[in-house]
Structure formats: C-alpha cells, structure tokens
Amino acid sequence: MIWIGILIVVLTFLAIIKRYETRLVLFIAGVAMALAVGKPLVAIDAFAKTMVSGGLVTTICTVMGFSYVMKLTGCDSHLVNLLTSLLKKADFILIPGAVIITWVINVALPSTAGCAAAVGAVLIPTLIGSGVHPAMAAACVMSGTIGSVMSPGLAHNPFVAKLANVDVMTVIAGHTIPALISLAVAATMLTIVSHLQKEGASAERSTEMFSNAEFFQINVIKALVPIIPLILLVLGSKMVDLISEVTVPQAMIIGAMLGFVVTLGNAQEISKSFFKGMGDSYGQIMGIIIAAAVFTQGMDIIGLTGALIEKMKESQDVARYAASIGPFFLAVLSGSGDAAALAFNGAVTPHAAQFGFKITDMGSLATISGALGRTMSPVAGGAIVCATIAGVNPMEIAKRTAPGMFCALVAVLIVFSIK
C-alpha cells in the first residue's frame, strides 16, 4: 500500500508540474489512495470538514474581499504610485528599492499575480524608462513578491496558525526575521546580477517612456488605506498589545469601510466587489486547501504519512531539508508555491514536535521555501504577468531571480536551523 501511495504522489506532482488543474489533481489523488484501501468516503469527509474550517474561511475570504475593494476604489494605485515616486528620487537604489517596494505592497496585497499586475504596470515602465533592462525590471517586481509570507491573508499563515492553535500574527512574528533576511538576500543578489550584466539604470538606455506616476495625482490618505488593516493587526497583536486585539476579519472590514469613506464611492459597487472577492477567494484559494486536505487524508489512510514520519524521526536534518527543499523545487517546476507547501503542512507539520521542531517553525519554513521557489519559476502566474508588461520571455526573468532565491533559501534554512 505504501508503494502504491508513493506512485500516486509522484504522479500527482508530475500532473501539477504539467499544470493540470491543481484542485482536481489533489482531489483525485486523495480519493485514489483512500480507494486503494477501501475507504474512499473518509477522504471525501475531509473535503466537507475543511469546507467549514472557520479560521481559514473567515481570514482568507475577508482579506481578498478587502483586496478587491482596494482595486475598485483605486487605493492600491495610490499606494503603488506614492512608493514609486519616492523611488525615482534615488536612481542609485532603483534595483533594490524596486524589490523592497514590491515586497511591502505584497504584504498588503498578498495575491502574487495581482500584486505583480498592480505594481508592475507602474514600476516596470518606470525602471525601463530609467535605463534598466526590461528583463531586469520585471525581475525586480517578481523578486518582491515573496512579501506575501508576511501577510495574514496568505493561505499558509492561518493554516499553520490553526495547526499550532495560535493566532495568525504569532505565526507571522515567528518568521519575520527569516522573511526579512530572504528579502535582503534577494534584493542584494539581484543588484549584484544587474551590475555584473550591466543591466541597471543607464543614461544610454534611458528613454522618454514615463510611468503613470508622472501624471498620477497621488492622494496620500487613499494610499494609506491598504496598510491600515495591517497596522491594526500589529498594534492589537499579543506581542505589541497597544490596542484591543483586532481579528483579521475585523481589520479587513474596517479597511473596506475606510476605502468607501475616503473615496466616497458607490456603496453598492463596493459591497458587490467585497463579496465577489470573498467568493473568488473561496473558490480559488480555499479550493486548493480543501483539495489538499483530501490529498493528505489519502496519504494518511494508505499509510504513507506514518511511514514518512517514521523515516523523518531518524534525523532532524532530514525533516528540515524536506520542509525546505521539497516545496522549493516543486514550486520552481509547477509555478505554484501553494500546492506543495499545503500538502507538506497538512501531512507532516502537525507532527513537527516528533522531529524536535515547533509546528510554527516547520510550517513557516515550508511556506517561505514554496514562495522562494515560485518566485524563480518561469511558469508562475506572476512571472508571466511581469514578462507580458516588460515584453520579455518569462525564462529571462527566472534567470535573474534564481541566484537570489537560491541564496535566500540557504539563508532561511540556516536561520531556522539555529532557532
């Protein structure tokens, strides 16, 4: 049965790499493993149970509802243009600055493709106009999309929080240092690559192309709205405790209401947008989590999870490398950091204590590793968006982000090893 399970898992990952529909692949694989031992309904029960997982549904759906409202009201555009206008005043930090700006915005807007589109539409033309090579300009934005690991709206953070029975801000606080180190390494390595290849800002390559930031009338109040929910969550967290605790749904609904107040938009349209974001996120993000639950239930029923845990008990190093290298390389191949990390966190992370780790540490390591791998994948949705805006091949972006992501993976692994 274990060998049958291994075969199914291998076929599952191959199907994901081939870019078959992730939810369908994970669901079929989970049911197939359960069917092999004559218990298909147990796997299907996992589907129904995860559908109503309170902490996950409320967090992810309200964050995406808020994100949709920010797009509708244009508050996200004001934030992007504000940060871009500040960046243009210091040409010598264009490359690392662009990575950092995208990272910050990705915390507020955790969708990789959505952030790449919102930031890239303004920042990539700005960089190209300053003489930065188009592929390097796109790589700057793509490298910054690892900021989502700091967002309470990223599916993995509430998922790990639920496993560890802690609040989502505790999970984020636990991997803040590794996340910041990965940002520093990624930005530094991309800057080095730009110098070595002579693809940074250049007067010879500069053009008359200007981004919308040249003509965009920035409203600072509107620009602040997307980050207000994050501020509320930090101030109300147990670590800071300056205000009463604020839940993620509360913060996001407050943010959506502020979006209406500062723009005086159409209340009906804002309401429709908020609930559309909630619905889309349930189908897309929760859908993957639900399908992954069926997959991990199948692994458990067929005995593969137990065998894997026993093998990992032999060495903490095996567990550590499995949590980092596994999600990283699958994300590179498939373009998604979600499927591998969610499957790993669902099957292995609950047993982290048996390997000498905290659940939050092992879960965060898999999460960050998956994000780093996705960021250097030429088939990732965000890479395709950036490539389209810059007019380059996605593989050209991957070539430039790869050194930083590899080095960041090593740095993160070292940090978690000494924690």
Side-chain angles (χ1 to χ4, degrees):
M1 285 296 104
I2 290 175
W3 283 109
I4 291 174
I6 291 174
L7 176 62
I8 293 174
V9 170
V10 170
L11 292 175
T12 300
F13 288 160
L14 287 175
I16 292 174
I17 291 168
K18 291 288 187 180
R19 301 184 68 78
Y20 286 97
E21 214 286 314
T22 302
R23 292 163 293 188
L24 177 64
V25 171
L26 290 172
F27 177 81
I28 290 176
V31 172
M33 285 186 280
L35 189 62
V37 292
K39 298 180 180 180
L41 294 182
V42 176
I44 294 175
D45 285 343
F47 186 102
K49 181 180 179 181
T50 312
M51 282 180 65
V52 292
S53 180
L56 294 175
V57 174
T58 55
T59 295
I60 293 169
C61 289
T62 52
V63 167
M64 290 306 294
F66 167 73
S67 179
Y68 273 46
V69 171
M70 292 300 96
K71 184 174 181 62
L72 176 69
T73 58
C75 289
D76 59 348
S77 295
H78 285 276
L79 176 60
V80 171
N81 280 278
L82 173 62
L83 295 176
T84 301
S85 65
L86 296 175
L87 178 63
K88 292 181 68 177
K89 296 178 180 178
D91 288 349
F92 64 94
I93 60 165
L94 272 176
I95 300 298
V99 176
I100 294 170
I101 283 177
T102 307
W103 190 92
V104 170
I105 295 173
N106 197 207
V107 177
L109 306 172
S111 166
T112 300
C115 178
V119 179
V122 175
L123 201 49
I124 291 175
T126 299
L127 292 170
I128 294 174
S130 300
V132 176
H133 188 282
M136 180 58 65
C140 289
V141 172
M142 192 59 195
S143 292
T145 59
I146 56 176
S148 59
V149 299
M150 293 293 292
S151 172
L154 182 71
H156 303 281
N157 289 327
F159 188 84
V160 173
K162 186 174 179 63
L163 291 178
N165 196 28
V166 298
D167 66 276
V168 68
M169 295 308 292
T170 298
V171 174
I172 293 172
H175 66 234
T176 295
I177 292 177
L180 289 174
I181 289 174
S182 67
L183 168 63
V185 171
T188 300
M189 288 303 300
L190 193 62
T191 303
I192 292 173
V193 170
S194 72
H195 283 299
L196 292 177
Q197 297 189 347
K198 296 181 172 57
E199 293 183 345
S202 167
E204 292 76 16
R205 279 197 304 267
S206 62
T207 70
E208 294 302 318
M209 179 190 291
F210 294 100
S211 72
N212 293 332
E214 291 290 328
F215 313 102
F216 194 91
Q217 297 298 313
I218 299 170
N219 185 313
V220 177
I221 295 177
K222 292 180 182 179
L224 291 175
V225 173
I227 63 174
I228 286 178
L230 298 176
I231 294 173
L232 291 175
L233 288 170
V234 171
L235 294 179
S237 66
K238 293 178 181 179
M239 288 73 68
V240 180
D241 199 26
L242 289 180
I243 62 175
S244 299
E245 183 178 0
V246 179
T247 65
V248 173
Q250 288 171 344
M252 298 305 151
I253 291 174
I254 290 171
M257 293 169 64
L258 288 174
F260 164 71
V261 171
V262 302
T263 62
L264 294 179
N266 186 315
Q268 295 187 81
E269 291 302 317
I270 287 177
S271 175
K272 290 178 183 178
S273 184
F274 185 86
F275 285 103
K276 184 178 188 304
M278 289 180 63
D280 287 353
S281 68
Y282 192 94
Q284 295 170 15
I285 302 174
M286 279 302 302
I288 293 178
I289 293 175
I290 292 168
V294 177
F295 177 72
T296 54
Q297 183 67 65
M299 287 180 60
D300 187 49
I301 294 173
I302 207 168
L304 187 56
T305 301
L308 179 63
I309 290 170
E310 288 302 315
K311 186 65 177 176
M312 292 173 67
K313 281 181 182 178
E314 297 176 7
S315 170
Q316 288 189 8
D317 288 337
V318 172
R320 185 181 297 113
Y321 296 141
S324 56
I325 296 174
F328 178 84
F329 279 108
L330 184 61
V332 172
L333 295 171
S334 68
S336 170
D338 290 338
L342 284 171
F344 183 92
N345 282 336
V348 180
T349 301
H351 310 282
Q354 299 180 41
F355 318 128
F357 295 105
K358 294 180 181 178
I359 287 178
T360 51
D361 285 347
M362 178 167 276
S364 292
L365 177 57
T367 297
I368 295 175
S369 299
L372 293 173
R374 177 209 65 227
T375 306
M376 60 169 279
S377 171
V379 294
I384 294 170
V385 169
C386 290
T388 301
I389 295 172
V392 299
N393 189 306
M395 184 60 73
E396 294 302 311
I397 299 176
K399 289 177 182 177
R400 289 160 175 79
T401 59
M405 298 307 120
F406 270 120
C407 292
L409 177 68
V410 173
V412 168
L413 187 55
I414 291 172
V415 172
F416 276 107
S417 297
I418 62 178
K419 282 190 71 174

